[in-house]
Amino acid sequence: MKHLIILGDGMADHKVERLGNKTLLQYARPEYMNRLAKAGRTGRLITIPEGFQPGSEVANTAILGYDLNQVYEGRGPLEAASIGYEMQPDDLALRCNIITVEEGKIITHNGGNLQTEDARVLIDYLNEHLAKPINDKAGYELVKFICGIQYRHLLVIKGGSKYITCAPPHDHPNEEWRRLTPQPLPEREGSNYSQDNEETKKVTTPRPHREGLGAGLTASLLRDLILRSQELLSQHPYNLDKAARGERQANSIWPWSGGYRPSMQTLMQLYPQIKSGSVISAVDLIQGIGKYAGLRIIKVPGATGLADTNYEGKAQAAIDALQTDDFVFVHVEATDEAGHDGDLELKLKAIDYLDQRLIKPIIEATELMDEPVCIAVLPDHPTPVEQRIHVNEPVPFLIYYKGIEPDDVEYYDEESCVAGSYGLLRLNEFMQTFMSI
């Protein structure tokens, strides 16, 4: 039995009055998700451990069966792994968005849908005009920006402390940015803390005390970098042209979710059934999780992380990977991005694209394979279009394979799956259940 997970990031939602008080999955009635739900078994899953914020890095890591209390270090180190940056023991790696701020507020977390080729120019500019003067004064490379994909980049602080609050920008649209800037948390020797939580959470991974800037200096440096980035980026030709056209500017950095290099077992070590596996995603974060999990990273041309992504290419990549791999994880970001933008029509379209352009061809291909394939479909968390943020609620899931005894659920949505035969699972119980098939 081979195993395939198809994950629609942020796909779950709330009831929307404009849709007749239905959720988006209920309204969209995705044909192939519903077909799998009717022929398979369903349930709901709690993807966020107590004390953690509902970030994709937390939820996807939990879905893959990891104990966040043991391995969590924030998004930064995961995206460093994906980019190919080899973290050193004294590196603090933070996710660094390029965002849009206007009139003192965060307008969008994605810099007006910033594209990678434009972002690379801005990152080079920041390294030259922001990082270099700081490094020259320090006498070593204290600050480094590393280009990622679209608006998602990396900031490395040598000797930085992770014991700081860092608000995720996608959770604070239209809020004043100044009150959200990084602040220090108390450092405790031998402890680790979840990074996106404003209140510290002690977890079990022991960490040696690190000599370095300390929490206060790290937070102060990050606040200064944000302010100076706004001064520099607002005068860059790219943003001057955007302003002249009345378009959103990519005019501020926003560092968040920092941590040190994590220590994770591979999925092959956790689940002996998996001899080889792969991950298919346009998102650095998911690729980084996959790399630490020992999965082969498959990059699909035209995969954007948005609704215009190459669904067919991802589907074919998954089909091809199943010829050689025991485990394949396919991640689609489009539904989450539409939720953050508050775009109801786009999120409905993204659900339909996922269903018709990715799930359909995968089902048709796997039905013809000699070796049976166990398929799971689920989101990592809800991203309701009317709230535009991640929320911490159970998500619906389905599991199907040839010969499974179906339950009585006929539709794949947030309400129908409450009656599913798997009930309500927590965290790594999903992966344990899935891999036991």
Side-chain angles (χ1 to χ4, degrees), residues 12 14 51 67 74-75 98 109 140 159 178 192 194 201 211 237 249 261 282 306 318 321 335 364 380 401 406 432:
H14 292 166
D67 182 346
R75 288 195 181 207
I98 299 183
H109 68 288
Y140 66 99
R178 286 185 180 275
N192 192 3
S194 60
K201 171 182 170 59
E211 298 293 337
Q249 302 173 54
R261 181 185 175 94
L306 301 172
T335 41
E364 292 174 345
D380 50 353
Y401 60 89
Q432 291 170 354

Side-chain angles (χ1 to χ4, degrees), residues 19 95 202 274 302 311 328:
L19 301 179
R95 162 74 169 271
K202 186 173 181 179
I274 302 176
Y311 296 92
V328 179

Side-chain angles (χ1 to χ4, degrees), residues 59 62 78-80 88 116 141 195 206 208 212 214 254 307 331 385 403 408 434:
L78 297 172
E79 303 200 21
Q88 301 303 307
T116 304
E141 194 173 56
Q195 292 301 295
W254 195 266
H331 172 271
V385 291
D408 295 328
F434 186 55

